[in-house]
Amino acid sequence: MSEFERLCLECKRPVSGRSDKKFCSDGCRNAYNNKSNAPATNYVRNVNNTLGRNRRILVKLNSEGNNETHRDQLLKNGFDFDFYTHSLTTKTGEQYLFCYEQGYRQLLDGTVILVVGDQNFER
């Protein structure tokens, strides 16, 4: 091996071709990038899974489109109140949290008001 020979960043085999080439094959390039992006990808995947689960629970409990339930019912189904896509505060100060188009508002007594969509609110 000459002192100027480049080695693949993934498998350490010699790389031929363009002078800026870093990998010997597409497979090595993909494997290298998958390894280096794994922590961020796993975090995003876990957040998306939680948001999706929350949305499915809201859809299941809000089949009519404007329903009420109790906080305990959401928790029993696996709802995670720490994850939502966006929030909306109305002119009267009521805060609704949303998992995509499915929203909810928690009341002090544990009641949760379920809504669909945020376009019908005065802001």
Side-chain angles (χ1 to χ4, degrees), residues 1-103:
M1 180 171 95
S2 75
E3 68 180 87
F4 298 110
E5 191 170 36
R6 293 162 292 126
L7 299 178
C8 176
L9 294 178
E10 176 63 18
C11 70
K12 307 302 182 210
R13 288 188 299 212
V15 174
S16 61
R18 293 178 16 184
S19 63
D20 61 344
K21 193 172 175 185
K22 297 178 182 178
F23 303 98
C24 64
S25 68
D26 286 340
C28 278
R29 179 177 46 82
N30 288 334
Y32 181 87
N33 288 326
N34 286 342
K35 277 191 242 175
S36 50
N37 294 330
T41 301
N42 286 337
Y43 175 75
V44 170
R45 183 183 305 115
N46 291 337
V47 168
N48 284 335
N49 287 341
T50 302
L51 289 170
R53 181 176 52 249
N54 280 357
R55 182 187 174 278
R56 284 188 302 277
I57 292 166
L58 292 172
V59 166
K60 181 174 113 178
L61 296 175
N62 193 18
S63 58
E64 288 103 44
N66 263 342
N67 224 354
E68 285 185 6
T69 189
H70 194 273
R71 176 181 171 82
D72 294 340
Q73 186 66 29
L74 289 167
L75 290 170
K76 187 171 101 176
N77 281 281
F79 194 86
D80 189 334
F81 284 95
D82 292 333
F83 289 84
Y84 52 91
T85 55
H86 63 287
S87 65
L88 181 145
T89 304
T90 65
K91 286 182 180 178
T92 57
E94 299 165 333
Q95 184 180 40
Y96 288 83
L97 301 176
F98 288 83
C99 293
Y100 304 103
E101 84 289 2
Q102 300 292 320

